[in-house]
Amino acid sequence: MIKQLGFAFIALLVMNGIASAQTENNKLTAAEKTEGWKLLCDGSSTKGWHDYNKKTIDNAWDVNEEALHLNASKKTDDTRDIVSKYEFPTFDLKMQW
């Protein structure tokens, strides 16, 4: 019985360590910041985005579960694709799907 409890305790510690080692969504690690990575979405707003050929973003676009999302119920004929306000001459795109 004591061996089983000891094994369960060790397994719990290992799982906790794995969970805490994972990075949070929409957060850069110190290493990623040093390498020059930039977040395209902050996970809480549409800041940094606008409709193609416009200066603002349509109300149909919002953030849902920390991701940019097109709300189809708010979509109109004027709703367009969105683009980042930032320009990147060369880039590596890394995303979680």
Side-chain angles (χ1 to χ4, degrees):
M1 178 72 165
I2 292 176
K3 285 183 181 180
Q4 290 173 333
L5 287 175
F7 178 73
F9 181 72
I10 291 172
L12 181 63
L13 287 175
V14 169
M15 289 187 303
N16 186 39
I18 291 171
S20 65
Q22 295 175 346
T23 58
E24 294 180 55
N25 292 333
N26 295 313
K27 303 281 188 228
L28 292 174
T29 64
E32 289 169 330
K33 288 178 185 177
T34 301
E35 292 172 2
W37 287 95
K38 306 277 186 221
L39 288 176
L40 293 177
C41 177
D42 65 12
S44 62
S45 73
T46 57
K47 180 181 174 186
W49 293 89
H50 60 87
D51 289 356
Y52 179 72
N53 274 345
K54 288 188 172 183
K55 295 192 184 272
T56 61
I57 191 164
D58 189 277
N59 289 338
W61 289 97
D62 60 17
V63 175
N64 186 359
E65 296 183 12
E66 299 184 340
L68 291 168
H69 171 257
L70 176 62
N71 186 333
S73 67
K74 294 182 180 179
K75 186 177 175 184
T76 67
D77 290 339
D78 292 331
T79 302
R80 301 175 182 209
D81 292 336
I82 57 174
V83 295
S84 171
K85 75 175 189 177
Y86 305 105
E87 291 187 27
F88 302 96
T90 60
F91 61 90
D92 289 323
L93 179 63
K94 178 180 173 183
M95 68 178 135
Q96 183 177 354
W97 185 263

